[in-house]
Amino acid sequence: MDLLAQPLADLQSQISEIVRGAGEDRACERATEGELARQVAAIAEIGRFAEAFLIGAVGEVMRRSENPVRDERMTSHLGCHDVTELLQTLTRLDPRSAARLQRAARAVRPAVSATSGEVLDADFPSVRAAMVDGVVGVDGILAITAPLQQTAPRVSESARRDAADIVVAEARGEGPDGAPPACAELLRIHAQTWALALDQDGAEPRERVAERKRSLVLGAPTPGGVPLRGMLLPDVAAQLQTIFDAHLAPKVAFDDPFTPAPDGDDIPASDDRSRAQRQHDAFAAALAVAAASGELPTIGGHAPTLVLSVNAADLASGTGYAHVQGCDEPVSMQVARHIGCGAVIQRVALGAEGRIMRIGVEDRVFNRYQRRAIALRDGGCIIPGCGVPAGWCEIHHVTEHARGGPTHTDNGVPLCWYHHRFLERIGWQIRMNSGVPEVKAPPWHGTDHRWRTVTTSPVRLKKRVLTT
């Protein structure tokens, strides 16, 4: 006999009626701000009660699927490989959400004695009680229990439960400081603080776990890009974050499309990249700097070199594709020109049957002395508002090397990875005027589209101040 069939059916009917009625009456749109806030809070509480119900049911599904005999498991009876697959089918959730439900269920489901069948306490009884009362949902349960579970077996079970009791009091708004009920993020911080205080062994055991789990894996190339996944050690992640912060430090500028910039002033900045895209570009720049540093291990006696092959006729016409060694996906001529602009170029002539007919010498572009001079002159990426320093920039041939542009300081300017890679697409124009770079904003950028001298270098800024 299904004890929950009729109550659940009635509940579904009531909720469906409320949802449809609210949509038809535009109840949320017509509510005052105070009313809307109360509505959101009440709906969220109902959601936590629903999650409590679901977590309890998931815990029972897990218990029935733990039989050592595969054919006796609930998952096998229903034609699923494991609990995650069954939950995906029943709940329409993705695998990560299904896994979160299972982790929450493990923390709060009551144990059952294998000998007597007696129902025992959950690992965290106070968290289970808060769940049943609608105080915490999946997020809150995991925020409280996950940091404390990581201290086992170094911290006793009773100490972990006592710490959970204190954090649950914060969730109920009954903490010693009298603060209102805490959100899941604050509960996680409270739980982490208690975990650190209770773990007498300090961070070393956690670091050993992190060291075992560290990874960085390039996925299979796809037309949309190459996926990257892994787990960084905390200090490595912090180092990468400092690189991101250095690259993404905000440059305050306002672009008024109706007011031309006064004569002699810099062009306002404009950057529509998302933060994730800017972090990708900072990572690309860091890789380029590392490869060019000369401090990495060599391959066959030479620094790690990105090898790109392209047909000369395709490069001249701007059609076709180029190929990067180590990646199966072809790249466009724009990418080939970007790589070749600041790289070492060696021409290899192949016969019709593929035989190597002639090997040219390496034509290295912009040596370190030229780079230093260009950095002194320009200071950093010359696109207004960018601010990436010269040490992180690539040197761009204003007149392309493939079109006869000389490898000379009068033909080179520093551009960050992003502006170098997408210069043509973005629309900025660059020219040299007696060895001094000038830029012109693209049509979509403001209203002032005159050629302007770049003034990012401290040396030239000082000169500009003294002459005005």
Side-chain angles (χ1 to χ4, degrees):
M1 178 180 180
D2 190 343
L3 300 177
L4 292 176
Q6 191 58 49
L8 287 176
D10 294 341
L11 184 60
Q12 286 176 318
S13 177
Q14 293 176 30
I15 292 178
S16 176
E17 183 178 348
I18 292 173
V19 171
R20 286 195 175 90
E24 293 172 357
D25 297 338
R26 302 176 65 185
C28 293
E29 298 176 37
R30 295 165 58 185
T32 65
E33 290 184 352
E35 291 170 345
L36 182 59
R38 289 191 292 272
Q39 291 170 3
V40 171
I43 294 169
E45 186 172 3
I46 294 171
R48 290 194 296 273
F49 277 115
E51 285 187 346
F53 211 168
L54 181 58
I55 289 169
V58 168
E60 182 62 21
V61 171
M62 294 168 63
R63 186 185 68 80
R64 298 188 184 193
S65 301
E66 292 171 349
N67 195 305
V69 181
R70 175 175 290 275
D71 291 343
E72 298 299 322
R73 299 173 186 172
M74 178 178 177
T75 50
S76 299
H77 296 163
L78 298 181
C80 293
H81 177 70
D82 54 22
V83 175
T84 298
E85 182 182 350
L86 178 58
L87 290 180
Q88 285 182 260
T89 303
L90 297 176
T91 64
R92 306 178 191 178
L93 296 174
D94 65 15
R96 288 174 295 181
S97 298
R100 285 170 56 82
L101 279 174
Q102 294 173 73
R103 291 200 301 272
R106 289 190 190 95
V108 299
R109 67 174 180 173
V112 178
S113 174
T115 56
S116 64
E118 180 185 3
V119 177
L120 307 175
D121 283 339
D123 289 345
F124 296 95
S126 61
V127 179
R128 177 176 176 80
M131 178 193 76
V132 173
D133 293 341
V135 175
V136 294
V138 173
D139 288 346
I141 293 171
L142 294 179
I144 298 172
T145 60
L148 297 174
Q149 285 173 327
Q150 291 176 0
T151 64
R154 299 181 300 277
V155 176
S156 67
E157 182 179 353
S158 60
R160 296 198 303 272
R161 287 187 175 186
D162 291 342
D165 294 346
I166 297 173
V167 181
V168 167
E170 297 288 347
R172 292 181 180 274
E174 301 171 356
D177 55 357
C183 66
E185 180 63 15
L186 288 178
L187 295 178
R188 181 183 62 81
I189 294 173
H190 280 294
Q192 286 179 336
T193 304
W194 276 104
L196 292 173
L198 293 172
D199 192 351
Q200 299 300 315
D201 290 336
E204 185 176 351
R206 290 189 298 275
E207 289 178 355
R208 288 198 295 266
V209 173
E211 288 169 358
R212 289 197 301 270
K213 291 185 176 181
R214 73 186 189 281
S215 63
L216 190 63
V217 181
L218 292 175
T222 70
V226 180
L228 180 69
R229 65 181 186 275
M231 186 74 70
L232 300 181
L233 292 173
D235 57 312
V236 176
Q239 180 64 71
L240 184 59
Q241 187 62 55
T242 59
I243 293 175
F244 289 160
D245 292 342
H247 250 72
L248 309 184
K251 292 86 182 173
V252 179
F254 300 92
D255 187 359
D256 183 356
F258 303 103
T259 305
D263 187 37
D265 285 359
D266 290 336
I267 304 173
S270 179
D271 189 349
D272 59 357
R273 290 176 292 168
S274 68
R275 181 174 181 85
Q277 290 173 329
R278 287 187 289 159
Q279 289 186 167
H280 168 278
D281 297 347
F283 186 56
L287 292 177
V289 171
S293 68
E295 298 181 2
L296 294 177
T298 60
I299 301 176
H302 298 278
T305 303
L306 182 65
V307 178
L308 179 140
S309 60
V310 58
N311 183 280
D314 290 343
L315 183 62
S317 65
T319 60
Y321 295 94
H323 297 273
V324 181
Q325 188 176 27
C327 183
D328 294 334
E329 284 293 321
V331 298
S332 67
M333 286 298 110
Q334 178 185 352
V335 175
R337 286 194 294 269
H338 166 231
I339 295 174
C341 185
V344 173
I345 298 176
Q346 181 178 25
R347 289 174 171 80
V348 179
L350 301 178
E353 303 299 327
R355 180 184 177 187
I356 298 176
M357 306 298 293
R358 185 174 64 258
I359 301 178
V361 298
E362 290 185 347
D363 182 12
R364 185 167 181 82
V365 295
F366 294 112
N367 59 42
R368 61 181 181 272
Y369 305 108
Q370 292 172 313
R371 287 186 62 94
R372 289 173 188 166
I374 292 172
L376 179 65
R377 183 192 66 199
D378 299 330
C381 180
I382 67 169
I383 300 301
C386 180
V388 174
W392 287 87
C393 289
E394 301 171 348
I395 305 300
H396 167 66
H397 283 81
V398 177
T399 300
E400 290 184 18
H401 186 274
R403 298 181 180 176
T407 304
H408 191 279
T409 53
D410 285 352
N411 190 46
V413 294
L415 292 177
C416 70
W417 185 92
Y418 164 66
H419 285 118
H420 195 192
R421 177 67 173 268
F422 300 109
L423 183 63
E424 294 181 4
R425 184 183 306 174
I426 297 171
W428 285 95
Q429 298 181 53
I430 303 172
R431 74 180 183 185
M432 303 299 293
N433 186 355
S434 300
V436 177
E438 294 181 342
V439 296
K440 180 193 286 189
W444 52 265
H445 191 292
T447 58
D448 185 17
H449 302 127
R450 292 171 292 169
W451 286 102
R452 291 185 173 275
T453 302
V454 179
T455 53
T456 56
S457 167
V459 173
R460 292 172 57 203
L461 281 174
K462 182 179 180 180
K463 180 180 178 182
R464 174 184 171 187
V465 171
L466 293 176
T467 56
T468 55

